[in-house]
Amino acid sequence: MTGLTVDNLGYSYGARRALDAVSFEVEPGAFCALLGPNGAGKSTLFGLLTRLFTSSEGRIEIAGHDISRNPLAALASIGVVFQQSTLDLDLTVERNLRYFAALHGIAGAEATRRIGEALDRLGMAERAKERARDLNGGHRRRTEIARALVHRPSVLLLDEPTVGLDASARAAITQHVHALCADEGLTVLWATHLTDEVWPDDRLVVLHRGKVLGDGTAAGLSKGRPLTEVFLEMTGGTP
Amino acid sequence: MNAWLTSLQAIVTREALRFLHQRGRFIAALVRPLVWLVVFAAGFRAALGLSIIPPYQTYITYETYIVPGLCGMILLFNGMQSSLSLVYDREMGSMRLLLTAPLPRWWLLLAKLIGSTAISILQAYAFLGIAWLYGIKMPALGYVAALPALAIAGLMLGALGLMLSSFIRQLENFAGVMNFVIFPMFFLSSALYPLWKMAEASILLHRICAANPFTHAVELIRFALYTEANLPALGWTLLATVVFLGLALWGYDPARGMIRRKG
């Protein structure tokens, strides 16, 4: 069983092709960076992986569950951090997590325990009673990651989770999620357009104009050259 | 408690908390019908004479006549307000969180609808309380009998808002909803004048009013406030609820891709 399988996936917005025969697999416990410039199709792929919308082309399997045949089991297996913040800014950190836990059927003492664990893991326990509105960007992101872990998913999907953060917050979040992957065997798909968030040992899928241009380890694809240079070469960008 | 009920409780609680955080919304929701009750009704009392029609047993003041319609107005505006917040949630992203929960989408949307209807009912009762202080009193049991009527009417108008939110692509288009849904629905109904008055003016307008689901919602509330059941109104309101909810669920079907985003 793979952590995540995307097989021959396609999607169009009217005449515009957003994803075209996209295929890749992520092994359980692997950190996979989905690297692509703006407009590559990353968010469309995340929409399909989270079943916000569906496609008749191709197949998605999450933790062994086919998303079209068994959508609820597939959704129960994923934790998602969307590009835009989905925190309720008027609620406290703890209440945001409690709401999410309830959406996954977890309530009462069990929810309290899991929320405590998740906040601890992200170093946010002491901010549990603070309103989300009063947190800085980095702490909001950590809260969202903690929230995505409350139901103990086996796959964590993050769509450009460092957008709008300063360099140190970006580095801290990237470090945290890599650690989660290494320590707890979580399968991670991390969408980004920033090459410095990809570590040499990470799985790397390069997406451009809806197509997979490269699939391997970051070190394997860059072959000793700077990843930024290789990425720009593949996608036709300029440094 | 199973996952379905846990999620329902969480969604309803969140709606209530959100409402508590928006006190201006609560005040606006009350001020609007009160202005109609105190100012509009005073001005039009003389112009709009009323005959004795069911469920009334005697002549009533114009203020008394419009109270059920103003309860309907609260439910209508709240339904549209929740539609606006759904479009906002979709643009801001929090709708994504709800729709990626491992529960059937129809249940998640229904839970949201129940939450917003519960808020609408509280507002309607607050208005009835102020009307009572103003001297417009219904039979005591009528306030109890009105609860299911307010709930059904609130669900119908909330489902209408949910349906509209699934078809409104952008927040900016919401002004159109005000012009093309709220005002025609409210004025082409029995909220402010009995339908026989409209028939005197125009048969066509009378027919439109009679077909308007909001008319039936108002009549359902009006009869319930006098502890009477208006079965045709109940039937039409339930039918409209099912149709609007069905269209809303179709609108939010993942295969239709309403929540999709280019990227």
Side-chain angles (χ1 to χ4, degrees):
Chain A
M1 183 183 83
T2 58
L4 177 67
T5 302
V6 175
D7 182 24
N8 213 21
L9 192 64
Y11 194 82
S12 299
Y13 294 102
R16 192 175 81 80
R17 197 81 176 134
L19 292 176
D20 190 19
V22 170
S23 296
F24 63 91
E25 285 185 2
V26 186
E27 292 303 310
F31 184 105
C32 177
L34 180 71
L35 188 63
N38 293 332
K42 301 188 295 295
S43 293
T44 300
L45 178 58
F46 267 70
L48 293 167
L49 290 173
T50 52
R51 206 175 168 266
L52 284 173
F53 44 93
T54 56
S55 173
S56 55
E57 297 174 51
R59 188 174 67 88
I60 293 170
E61 200 177 286
I62 297 169
H65 306 291
D66 187 312
I67 202 165
S68 58
R69 288 191 197 148
N70 201 353
L72 302 187
L75 288 175
S77 309
I78 56 170
V80 193
V81 177
F82 292 104
Q83 192 180 109
Q84 275 175 306
S85 172
T86 53
L87 290 175
D88 189 325
L89 297 180
D90 291 321
L91 298 185
T92 63
V93 167
E94 192 259 343
R95 267 208 180 275
N96 266 290
L97 267 66
R98 194 169 287 282
Y99 170 65
F100 179 80
L103 291 181
H104 284 258
I106 307 161
E110 178 66 8
T112 307
R113 201 167 55 78
R114 291 199 192 194
I115 289 165
E117 279 173 16
L119 289 175
D120 250 345
R121 210 179 303 167
L122 271 292
M124 287 293 294
E126 72 279 11
R127 298 187 188 275
K129 300 294 175 196
E130 287 184 29
R131 273 197 328 163
R133 192 180 294 283
D134 300 329
L135 300 177
N136 65 33
H139 287 143
R140 284 186 193 179
R141 270 309 189 202
R142 283 198 207 190
T143 303
E144 290 194 286
I145 295 171
R147 184 180 62 184
L149 298 173
V150 161
H151 58 298
R152 295 180 186 148
S154 51
V155 179
L156 183 61
L157 307 173
L158 305 103
D159 186 9
E160 305 205 18
T162 59
V163 162
L165 301 185
D166 61 31
S168 72
R170 244 172 18 91
I173 297 275
T174 311
Q175 170 76 42
H176 264 300
V177 177
H178 274 89
L180 279 172
C181 195
D183 301 341
E184 304 188 23
L186 202 62
T187 308
V188 172
L189 183 68
W190 173 288
T192 185
H193 61 273
L194 302 165
T195 50
D196 61 344
E197 292 176 358
V198 185
W199 293 7
D201 291 338
D202 291 343
R203 259 298 295 289
L204 176 62
V205 173
V206 179
L207 190 69
H208 183 50
R209 292 183 181 156
K211 293 187 176 181
V212 174
L213 298 188
D215 184 358
T217 63
L221 285 173
S222 57
K223 292 177 186 152
R225 294 165 62 203
L227 183 58
T228 307
E229 200 179 297
V230 174
F231 173 58
L232 290 173
E233 203 173 276
M234 288 173 101
T235 57
T238 47
Chain B
M1 205 184 326
N2 70 21
W4 293 50
L5 291 178
T6 304
S7 63
L8 172 65
Q9 188 189 38
I11 292 167
V12 172
T13 306
R14 185 168 181 261
E15 288 291 318
L17 286 173
R18 180 184 255 192
F19 180 69
L20 286 175
H21 288 135
Q22 299 173 344
R23 290 195 189 91
R25 188 176 143 196
F26 179 67
I27 292 164
L30 278 182
V31 166
R32 198 179 296 118
L34 286 173
V35 166
W36 281 83
L37 181 67
V38 176
V39 181
F40 178 88
F44 281 78
R45 185 191 301 170
L48 296 166
L50 296 174
S51 63
I52 299 171
I53 50 165
Y56 305 109
Q57 308 290 331
T58 178
Y59 284 105
I60 49 158
T61 63
Y62 184 60
E63 284 91 335
T64 304
Y65 177 81
I66 66 169
V67 161
L70 295 179
C71 284
M73 177 196 236
I74 291 172
L75 304 177
L76 176 65
F77 271 82
N78 227 51
M80 295 309 116
Q81 180 93 33
S82 65
S83 158
L84 172 70
S85 78
L86 283 164
V87 176
Y88 181 81
D89 278 357
R90 209 179 55 219
E91 289 206 338
M92 293 300 120
S94 50
M95 193 68 175
R96 288 160 195 264
L97 190 72
L98 181 72
L99 297 181
T100 51
L103 287 165
R105 193 169 276 198
W106 67 264
W107 173 252
L108 295 166
L109 292 171
L110 184 65
K112 200 147 173 64
L113 183 58
I114 291 170
S116 65
T117 303
I119 302 298
S120 297
I121 292 172
L122 283 178
Q123 289 177 351
Y125 271 109
F127 169 71
L128 284 171
I130 296 172
W132 186 84
L133 292 173
Y134 187 65
I136 300 165
K137 297 177 180 173
M138 311 292 167
L141 269 180
Y143 291 102
V144 181
L147 179 61
L150 289 169
I152 293 165
L155 283 174
M156 186 268 280
L157 295 165
L160 172 66
L162 196 62
M163 181 194 84
L164 291 170
S165 77
S166 74
F167 295 105
I168 299 169
R169 293 262 166 196
Q170 289 168 325
L171 209 53
E172 292 75 25
N173 298 343
F174 196 75
V177 174
M178 289 290 286
N179 290 328
F180 292 107
V181 178
I182 293 182
F183 294 132
M185 247 189 144
F186 183 64
F187 289 114
L188 287 168
S189 77
S190 60
L192 298 178
Y193 16 75
L195 289 195
W196 65 264
K197 279 258 181 205
M198 193 57 100
E200 281 180 353
S202 158
I203 292 298
L204 177 64
L205 282 179
H206 174 264
R207 284 182 183 152
I208 294 171
C209 291
N212 181 356
F214 185 68
T215 295
H216 298 289
V218 169
E219 291 311 305
L220 185 66
I221 298 166
R222 189 187 309 284
F223 276 71
L225 279 168
Y226 290 87
T227 62
E228 286 184 38
N230 184 331
L231 293 179
L234 174 66
W236 280 111
T237 311
L238 284 174
L239 179 66
T241 308
V242 170
V243 170
F244 292 152
L245 192 56
L247 285 169
L249 295 178
W250 179 72
Y252 276 100
D253 182 348
R256 270 197 76 238
M258 184 60 206
I259 311 291
R260 72 189 183 183
R261 181 169 165 222
K262 296 180 183 185

